[in-house]
């Protein structure tokens, strides 16, 4: 299964999203550029950085966006997966 997270930034920003265990270990990292008022989507296939399928469970998606002025916004989202 694929998991989709979409958001709209208020301005252009560099975005880093990390899928983590509840204990904070990073399993997968995504980087993209948000284009202001346009919707940005992160698509996660349920796999870790090495391509191994992760077991069903609860994970956390930590999203950090930094605009060109250095302002930072963070969001932490729980993700429940099923197989």
């Amino acid at each position: 299964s694929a998991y989709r997270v979409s958001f709209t930034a208020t301005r252009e920003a560099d975005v880093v999203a990390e899928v983590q265990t509840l204990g904070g270990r990073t399993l997968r990292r995504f980087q993209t550029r948000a284009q202001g008022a346009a919707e940005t989507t992160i698509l996660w296939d349920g796999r870790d950085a090495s391509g191994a399928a992760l077991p069903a469970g609860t994970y956390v998606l930590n999203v950090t966006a930094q605009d060109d002025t250095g302002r930072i916004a963070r969001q932490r989202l729980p993700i429940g997966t099923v197989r």
Side-chain angles (χ1 to χ4, degrees):
S1 295
Y3 303 90
R4 177 186 307 263
V5 175
S6 298
F7 59 91
T8 302
T10 57
R11 62 183 73 196
E12 289 188 25
D14 292 318
V15 178
V16 175
E18 294 180 325
V19 177
Q20 297 180 334
T21 64
L22 294 177
R25 185 169 58 96
T26 298
L27 302 169
R28 183 95 176 255
R29 180 181 169 101
F30 301 90
Q31 290 182 268
T32 191
R33 178 91 177 153
Q35 298 299 320
E39 184 175 79
T40 301
T41 299
I42 296 169
L43 189 63
W44 176 47
D45 59 5
R47 297 180 180 276
D48 66 13
S50 69
L54 294 170
T58 302
Y59 299 93
V60 176
L61 181 68
N62 283 312
V63 181
T64 303
Q66 182 171 0
D67 70 15
D68 295 333
T69 68
R71 290 179 54 183
I72 296 174
R74 291 187 174 91
Q75 183 72 42
R76 184 176 165 94
L77 307 165
I79 300 175
T81 64
V82 294
R83 292 271 177 231

